[in-house]
């Protein structure tokens, strides 16, 4: 007997369905929405004439009559579309330093993931801060000021879900994900794991490098103020050294089923 092969399955955490459908349509000249298979079941009945006919006309006449029944199965391709995309693109696991990657490059990278649920943390923050114990009476006033400052800071932060991927080269990429494409409830992930997901994950997405060029200031004072405010928000979230980001399309890990 031959040696049993190890079966590997993909456990998907995130699937950007809109981009995957677009990629599939571009690669295969259309979008697969279903597969129909059919089979036929033929029933045959034999009949004969002979003994009851007059002698002069006596002969055996036999034949067959058949009826056909058709059975159809409508198959939803589900993740087979994803496997087809990954197979035809055949993007290798990226293992070089990120400084060698190009803007707009499709990249498959592996690392540890932090998932930050800003909206839930923002909603939970005020009651959580109220439960921080006061060690000394004279600190109460200062602590209240600090609490108010934290709450006010969170009010100006754009909410959403963010991931940060930490690579083997001790680099990191940040990206935003859409809650509707997450395969797990983000609140449940926060409750079970906090911000740090267990194990290593693979992220397939579009790489971006920040600060590739310096934009000229807008001549409009209003637009200039808006641009400056936008940069302030970015710097509040990301320090200047954070120059890599990724637009996640897939987040998954391989699940191995070991043979007995």
């Amino acid at each position: 007997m031959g040696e049993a092969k190890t079966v590997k399955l993909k456990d998907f955490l995130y699937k950007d369905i809109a981009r995957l459908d677009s990629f599939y349509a571009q690669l295969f000249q259309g979008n697969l929405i279903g597969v129909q298979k059919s089979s036929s079941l033929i029933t045959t009945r034999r009949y004969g004439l002979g003994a009851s006919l007059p002698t002069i006309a006596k002969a055996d006449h036999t034949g067959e009559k058949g009826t056909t029944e058709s059975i159809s199965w409508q198959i939803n391709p589900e993740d087979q579309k994803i496997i087809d995309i990954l197979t035809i693109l055949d993007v290798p696991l990226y293992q070089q330093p990120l400084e060698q990657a190009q803007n707009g490059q499709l990249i498959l990278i592996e690392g540890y993931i932090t998932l930050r649920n800003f909206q839930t943390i923002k909603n939970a923050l005020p009651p959580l801060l109220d439960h921080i114990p006061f060690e000394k009476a004279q600190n109460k006033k200062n602590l209240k000021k600090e609490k108010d400052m934290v709450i006010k800071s969170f009010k100006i932060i754009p909410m959403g879900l963010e991931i940060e991927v930490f690579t083997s080269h001790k680099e990191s990429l940040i990206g935003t994900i859409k809650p509707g494409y997450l395969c797990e409830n983000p609140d449940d992930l926060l409750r079970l794991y906090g911000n740090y997901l267990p194990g290593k994950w693979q992220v397939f997405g579009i790489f971006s490098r920040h600060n590739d060029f310096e934009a000229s200031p807008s001549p409009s004072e209003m637009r200039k103020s808006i641009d400056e405010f936008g940069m302030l928000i970015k710097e509040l979230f990301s320090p200047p050294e954070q120059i890599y980001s990724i637009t996640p399309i897939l987040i998954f890990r391989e699940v191995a089923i070991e043979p007995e």
Side-chain angles (χ1 to χ4, degrees):
M1 293 179 65
E3 185 178 347
K5 294 182 178 179
T6 300
V7 178
K8 289 186 177 181
L9 302 175
K10 286 180 169 54
D11 173 28
F12 290 101
L13 178 67
Y14 181 78
K15 299 181 284 188
D16 187 335
I17 300 300
R19 281 192 170 89
L20 289 167
D21 284 347
S22 174
F23 284 4
Y24 192 94
Q26 294 176 63
L27 291 169
F28 298 98
Q29 294 77 50
N31 205 355
L32 182 65
I33 59 175
V35 179
Q36 183 169 315
K37 289 187 177 180
S38 62
S39 64
S40 297
L41 176 64
I42 299 176
T43 304
T44 303
R45 181 172 61 85
R46 296 185 61 86
Y47 63 92
L49 295 173
S52 60
L53 294 177
T55 303
I56 191 171
K58 188 173 182 180
D60 287 335
H61 298 277
T62 62
E64 295 181 354
K65 289 184 177 180
T67 58
T68 303
E69 296 180 5
S70 180
I71 304 173
S72 297
W73 291 270
Q74 188 70 29
I75 301 171
N76 189 336
E78 284 289 343
D79 293 339
Q80 184 58 48
K81 292 173 62 174
I82 299 175
I83 303 303
D84 291 343
I85 290 170
L86 293 176
T87 299
I88 197 169
L89 291 178
D90 194 23
V91 178
L93 190 63
Y94 190 86
Q95 297 179 327
Q96 293 79 30
L98 291 174
E99 62 182 12
Q100 298 179 22
Q102 300 298 315
N103 238 339
Q105 177 180 340
L106 273 175
I107 192 172
L108 176 63
I109 197 159
E110 185 178 61
Y112 294 99
I113 287 181
T114 295
L115 176 62
R116 299 185 178 98
N117 189 336
F118 286 105
Q119 184 61 56
T120 298
I121 292 175
K122 177 182 178 180
N123 294 338
L125 190 61
L128 283 176
L129 290 177
D130 288 339
H131 284 82
I132 294 178
F134 296 106
E135 296 181 0
K136 296 181 180 179
Q138 60 266 30
N139 291 336
K140 183 177 293 188
K141 187 175 181 179
N142 291 336
L143 188 56
K144 185 179 184 306
K145 286 182 178 179
E146 291 180 7
K147 288 181 181 179
D148 291 342
M149 184 178 68
V150 172
I151 292 173
K152 288 178 181 178
S153 298
F154 262 78
K155 286 182 179 179
I156 67 171
I157 294 176
M159 295 298 102
L161 293 173
E162 176 188 276
I163 66 162
E164 187 167 3
V165 187
F166 299 92
T167 73
S168 58
H169 292 281
K170 301 189 184 302
E171 299 172 303
S172 71
L173 307 90
I174 58 172
T176 60
I177 58 178
K178 305 165 189 174
Y181 293 149
L182 201 60
C183 300
E184 296 282 351
N185 186 305
D187 291 344
D188 289 340
L189 292 174
L190 178 63
R191 176 174 53 83
L192 288 174
Y193 307 118
N195 285 351
Y196 304 100
L197 299 183
K200 285 187 176 181
W201 295 78
Q202 293 185 9
V203 182
F204 176 69
I206 304 170
F207 174 83
S208 294
R209 181 194 310 276
H210 307 175
N211 304 326
D212 267 8
F213 69 97
E214 289 292 335
S216 300
S218 172
S220 165
E221 289 299 323
M222 182 185 71
R223 290 185 176 87
K224 184 178 178 181
S225 298
I226 291 174
D227 291 345
E228 290 174 351
F229 180 74
M231 292 305 296
L232 180 63
I233 293 294
K234 177 187 178 299
E235 291 172 4
L236 179 64
F237 274 91
S238 307
E241 60 270 17
Q242 179 69 60
I243 60 172
Y244 305 126
S245 65
I246 190 168
T247 302
I249 299 172
L250 292 169
I251 302 175
F252 62 92
R253 59 183 173 181
E254 287 193 342
V255 181
I257 304 174
E258 298 294 338
E260 295 182 358

